[in-house]
PDB file of all heavy atoms in Angstrom:
ATOM      1  N   HIS A1217       0.755  -5.482  -4.378  1.00 68.00           N
ATOM      2  CA  HIS A1217       0.633  -6.927  -4.576  1.00 68.00           C
ATOM      3  C   HIS A1217      -0.779  -7.476  -4.476  1.00 68.00           C
ATOM      4  O   HIS A1217      -1.197  -8.231  -5.332  1.00 68.00           O
ATOM      5  CB  HIS A1217       1.519  -7.672  -3.566  1.00 68.00           C
ATOM      6  CG  HIS A1217       2.950  -7.682  -3.978  1.00 68.00           C
ATOM      7  ND1 HIS A1217       3.359  -8.148  -5.193  1.00 68.00           N
ATOM      8  CD2 HIS A1217       4.060  -7.260  -3.336  1.00 68.00           C
ATOM      9  CE1 HIS A1217       4.686  -8.026  -5.291  1.00 68.00           C
ATOM     10  NE2 HIS A1217       5.124  -7.480  -4.178  1.00 68.00           N
ATOM     11  N   THR A1218      -1.495  -7.075  -3.442  1.00 62.00           N
ATOM     12  CA  THR A1218      -2.768  -7.748  -3.191  1.00 62.00           C
ATOM     13  C   THR A1218      -3.963  -6.953  -3.705  1.00 62.00           C
ATOM     14  O   THR A1218      -5.091  -7.333  -3.515  1.00 62.00           O
ATOM     15  CB  THR A1218      -2.972  -7.969  -1.681  1.00 62.00           C
ATOM     16  OG1 THR A1218      -2.927  -6.693  -1.048  1.00 62.00           O
ATOM     17  CG2 THR A1218      -1.909  -8.864  -1.115  1.00 62.00           C
ATOM     18  N   GLU A1219      -3.682  -5.850  -4.387  1.00 63.00           N
ATOM     19  CA  GLU A1219      -4.760  -4.972  -4.803  1.00 63.00           C
ATOM     20  C   GLU A1219      -5.338  -5.410  -6.142  1.00 63.00           C
ATOM     21  O   GLU A1219      -4.614  -5.846  -7.031  1.00 63.00           O
ATOM     22  CB  GLU A1219      -4.190  -3.563  -4.925  1.00 63.00           C
ATOM     23  CG  GLU A1219      -5.234  -2.493  -4.882  1.00 63.00           C
ATOM     24  CD  GLU A1219      -4.569  -1.133  -4.999  1.00 63.00           C
ATOM     25  OE1 GLU A1219      -3.569  -0.906  -4.300  1.00 63.00           O
ATOM     26  OE2 GLU A1219      -5.033  -0.347  -5.806  1.00 63.00           O
ATOM     27  N   LEU A1220      -6.633  -5.292  -6.252  1.00 65.00           N
ATOM     28  CA  LEU A1220      -7.282  -5.631  -7.520  1.00 65.00           C
ATOM     29  C   LEU A1220      -7.469  -4.377  -8.356  1.00 65.00           C
ATOM     30  O   LEU A1220      -7.762  -3.321  -7.834  1.00 65.00           O
ATOM     31  CB  LEU A1220      -8.654  -6.265  -7.266  1.00 65.00           C
ATOM     32  CG  LEU A1220      -8.640  -7.592  -6.532  1.00 65.00           C
ATOM     33  CD1 LEU A1220     -10.072  -8.077  -6.334  1.00 65.00           C
ATOM     34  CD2 LEU A1220      -7.851  -8.635  -7.316  1.00 65.00           C
ATOM     35  N   TYR A1221      -7.315  -4.498  -9.653  1.00 67.00           N
ATOM     36  CA  TYR A1221      -7.588  -3.386 -10.555  1.00 67.00           C
ATOM     37  C   TYR A1221      -8.468  -3.904 -11.669  1.00 67.00           C
ATOM     38  O   TYR A1221      -8.093  -4.824 -12.393  1.00 67.00           O
ATOM     39  CB  TYR A1221      -6.295  -2.804 -11.119  1.00 67.00           C
ATOM     40  CG  TYR A1221      -6.532  -1.700 -12.111  1.00 67.00           C
ATOM     41  CD1 TYR A1221      -7.015  -0.462 -11.674  1.00 67.00           C
ATOM     42  CD2 TYR A1221      -6.297  -1.877 -13.459  1.00 67.00           C
ATOM     43  CE1 TYR A1221      -7.258   0.554 -12.564  1.00 67.00           C
ATOM     44  CE2 TYR A1221      -6.531  -0.869 -14.366  1.00 67.00           C
ATOM     45  CZ  TYR A1221      -7.011   0.359 -13.916  1.00 67.00           C
ATOM     46  OH  TYR A1221      -7.242   1.360 -14.817  1.00 67.00           O
ATOM     47  N   ARG A1222      -9.690  -3.371 -11.769  1.00 70.00           N
ATOM     48  CA  ARG A1222     -10.659  -3.827 -12.766  1.00 70.00           C
ATOM     49  C   ARG A1222     -10.831  -5.337 -12.704  1.00 70.00           C
ATOM     50  O   ARG A1222     -10.836  -6.034 -13.721  1.00 70.00           O
ATOM     51  CB  ARG A1222     -10.242  -3.402 -14.177  1.00 70.00           C
ATOM     52  CG  ARG A1222     -10.341  -1.898 -14.364  1.00 70.00           C
ATOM     53  CD  ARG A1222      -9.912  -1.504 -15.750  1.00 70.00           C
ATOM     54  NE  ARG A1222      -9.936  -0.059 -15.890  1.00 70.00           N
ATOM     55  CZ  ARG A1222     -10.919   0.613 -16.478  1.00 70.00           C
ATOM     56  NH1 ARG A1222     -11.939  -0.001 -16.983  1.00 70.00           N
ATOM     57  NH2 ARG A1222     -10.862   1.912 -16.578  1.00 70.00           N
ATOM     58  N   GLY A1223     -10.896  -5.850 -11.492  1.00 69.00           N
ATOM     59  CA  GLY A1223     -11.213  -7.256 -11.292  1.00 69.00           C
ATOM     60  C   GLY A1223     -10.047  -8.207 -11.443  1.00 69.00           C
ATOM     61  O   GLY A1223     -10.151  -9.380 -11.111  1.00 69.00           O
ATOM     62  N   ALA A1224      -8.922  -7.705 -11.908  1.00 66.00           N
ATOM     63  CA  ALA A1224      -7.779  -8.595 -12.107  1.00 66.00           C
ATOM     64  C   ALA A1224      -6.693  -8.267 -11.088  1.00 66.00           C
ATOM     65  O   ALA A1224      -6.460  -7.101 -10.781  1.00 66.00           O
ATOM     66  CB  ALA A1224      -7.211  -8.431 -13.519  1.00 66.00           C
ATOM     67  N   GLU A1225      -6.076  -9.283 -10.563  1.00 60.00           N
ATOM     68  CA  GLU A1225      -4.986  -9.030  -9.621  1.00 60.00           C
ATOM     69  C   GLU A1225      -3.734  -8.637 -10.392  1.00 60.00           C
ATOM     70  O   GLU A1225      -3.343  -9.302 -11.348  1.00 60.00           O
ATOM     71  CB  GLU A1225      -4.706 -10.264  -8.769  1.00 60.00           C
ATOM     72  CG  GLU A1225      -3.747  -9.958  -7.637  1.00 60.00           C
ATOM     73  CD  GLU A1225      -3.675 -11.082  -6.609  1.00 60.00           C
ATOM     74  OE1 GLU A1225      -4.485 -12.014  -6.708  1.00 60.00           O
ATOM     75  OE2 GLU A1225      -2.802 -11.005  -5.741  1.00 60.00           O
ATOM     76  N   TYR A1226      -3.166  -7.529  -9.976  1.00 56.00           N
ATOM     77  CA  TYR A1226      -1.952  -7.079 -10.651  1.00 56.00           C
ATOM     78  C   TYR A1226      -0.740  -7.795 -10.079  1.00 56.00           C
ATOM     79  O   TYR A1226      -0.586  -7.893  -8.868  1.00 56.00           O
ATOM     80  CB  TYR A1226      -1.776  -5.572 -10.463  1.00 56.00           C
ATOM     81  CG  TYR A1226      -2.183  -4.800 -11.685  1.00 56.00           C
ATOM     82  CD1 TYR A1226      -3.504  -4.771 -12.097  1.00 56.00           C
ATOM     83  CD2 TYR A1226      -1.228  -4.129 -12.445  1.00 56.00           C
ATOM     84  CE1 TYR A1226      -3.884  -4.078 -13.224  1.00 56.00           C
ATOM     85  CE2 TYR A1226      -1.594  -3.435 -13.577  1.00 56.00           C
ATOM     86  CZ  TYR A1226      -2.929  -3.411 -13.956  1.00 56.00           C
ATOM     87  OH  TYR A1226      -3.281  -2.725 -15.077  1.00 56.00           O
ATOM     88  N   VAL A1227       0.106  -8.305 -10.897  1.00 59.00           N
ATOM     89  CA  VAL A1227       1.288  -8.995 -10.397  1.00 59.00           C
ATOM     90  C   VAL A1227       2.489  -8.061 -10.329  1.00 59.00           C
ATOM     91  O   VAL A1227       3.523  -8.414  -9.800  1.00 59.00           O
ATOM     92  CB  VAL A1227       1.645 -10.223 -11.270  1.00 59.00           C
ATOM     93  CG1 VAL A1227       0.594 -11.312 -11.090  1.00 59.00           C
ATOM     94  CG2 VAL A1227       1.771  -9.843 -12.729  1.00 59.00           C
ATOM     95  N   VAL A1228       2.328  -6.867 -10.881  1.00 61.00           N
ATOM     96  CA  VAL A1228       3.430  -5.911 -10.849  1.00 61.00           C
ATOM     97  C   VAL A1228       3.328  -5.042  -9.607  1.00 61.00           C
ATOM     98  O   VAL A1228       2.299  -4.988  -8.953  1.00 61.00           O
ATOM     99  CB  VAL A1228       3.419  -5.014 -12.105  1.00 61.00           C
ATOM    100  CG1 VAL A1228       3.741  -5.819 -13.343  1.00 61.00           C
ATOM    101  CG2 VAL A1228       2.069  -4.330 -12.246  1.00 61.00           C
TER     102      VAL A1228
END
Side-chain angles (χ1 to χ4, degrees):
H1217 281 305
T1218 58
E1219 200 180 314
L1220 296 179
Y1221 177 71
R1222 291 179 183 260
E1225 190 168 352
Y1226 258 66
V1227 290
V1228 292

